[in-house]
Amino acid sequence: MKEEEKCTRLDKQMAFILEADKLKQIERQTYLHDGLRKENDAEHSWHLALMALLLGEYANEKIDTLRVMAMVLIHDMVEIDAGDTYAYDKAAHKTKRERELKAAERIFSILPQDQAKYFRGLWDEFEEGETMEAKFAHSLDNVQPLMLNDASDGLSWRERGIKREQVEQRNQTTKTGSEQLWVYVEKILDENVNKGNLQ
């Protein structure tokens, strides 16, 4: 590779890294454990990567942990353009796929071609949810906000009058990635219904 090509490649990579900084400005609907503020997409993605590193042993099948970590680190990059779609907002979900596809085209194309293809492939794999890695990544993506809701005494659930059946519907793919994490989910749901945090 020529020196000027290396510079161009590095420039593209650094431009993507700078673009990723915008994730820190995308506020999610989930409160931090202490309920003092809501988390942002960068915090959410980092938390999922840590979970992938720690909890891979609970996947239903053997997984490539590094692939799961890479997947969860980039899975919400599209929200830089598309915004965070609240899990229980039915109207926003009607346009979510279209908004996110358009965002994926723009954001991943910032990278050098080989990395753009790899990152877009990871994002598509997560969205399709067919591989064991994608299934486990979805399990983590479901469990993390549920864990924070539990830690903040159901704050966002109570604010919006969320029902247990809505959370179960949202978490229905959890068991396809991890039966053990699904047991954890049901325990949290039982406790929060008993506390009155979920209707």
Side-chain angles (χ1 to χ4, degrees):
M1 187 182 288
K2 295 178 184 172
E3 198 61 40
E4 61 192 51
E5 287 174 343
K6 282 183 184 176
C7 274
T8 303
R9 182 177 177 82
L10 178 59
D11 288 341
K12 288 179 177 179
Q13 291 165 328
M14 294 305 287
F16 180 82
I17 291 167
L18 187 59
E19 186 72 11
D21 190 64
K22 294 177 183 176
L23 280 175
K24 297 172 187 174
Q25 297 173 313
I26 308 299
E27 186 179 85
R28 291 170 48 81
Q29 298 304 311
T30 308
Y31 286 93
L32 298 182
H33 72 282
D34 58 11
L36 295 180
R37 70 169 175 87
K38 293 177 179 176
E39 69 173 349
N40 64 49
D41 267 353
E43 292 165 332
H44 170 67
S45 297
W46 160 80
H47 217 181
L48 293 185
L50 181 62
M51 290 172 75
L53 185 61
L54 289 172
L55 305 177
E57 65 192 271
Y58 302 111
N60 289 340
E61 298 171 28
K62 187 168 173 52
I63 54 165
D64 178 342
T65 301
L66 186 59
R67 188 167 187 83
V68 176
M69 290 175 73
M71 200 178 292
V72 297
L73 282 170
I74 62 101
H75 81 293
D76 276 343
M77 285 287 297
V78 294
E79 293 185 4
I80 290 169
D81 289 356
D84 176 56
T85 304
Y86 181 52
Y88 306 109
D89 184 341
K90 289 182 181 178
H93 274 274
K94 289 177 184 174
T95 62
K96 180 182 181 210
R97 180 72 177 154
E98 182 184 337
R99 286 182 284 117
E100 290 189 349
L101 282 169
K102 186 177 177 184
E105 282 299 313
R106 184 193 76 77
I107 293 165
F108 296 128
S109 70
I110 294 170
L111 285 162
Q113 192 172 8
D114 61 322
Q115 290 181 321
K117 184 179 177 183
Y118 172 68
F119 276 47
R120 177 59 192 266
L122 277 177
W123 184 78
D124 287 334
E125 182 179 344
F126 177 82
E127 288 296 303
E128 290 158 10
E130 297 295 327
T131 66
M132 194 59 229
E133 284 75 16
K135 288 175 183 177
F136 189 66
H138 275 282
S139 296
L140 300 178
D141 196 30
N142 291 339
V143 169
Q144 188 262 0
L146 183 128
M147 175 188 66
L148 290 179
N149 265 304
D150 179 52
S152 63
D153 201 28
L155 183 54
S156 70
W157 289 332
R158 286 185 285 111
E159 282 181 345
R160 295 174 182 258
I162 300 299
K163 298 181 172 106
R164 179 189 179 127
E165 64 192 39
Q166 289 175 277
V167 183
E168 283 182 325
Q169 179 69 27
R170 169 77 177 155
N171 282 271
Q172 66 182 344
T173 59
T174 301
K175 64 181 88 167
T176 64
S178 173
E179 292 283 352
Q180 287 181 274
L181 288 180
W182 177 248
V183 171
Y184 174 81
V185 165
E186 294 214 293
K187 177 177 173 276
I188 284 180
L189 294 181
D190 287 342
E191 289 171 356
N192 280 275
V193 167
N194 290 336
K195 290 177 185 175
N197 295 335
L198 282 168
Q199 296 178 19

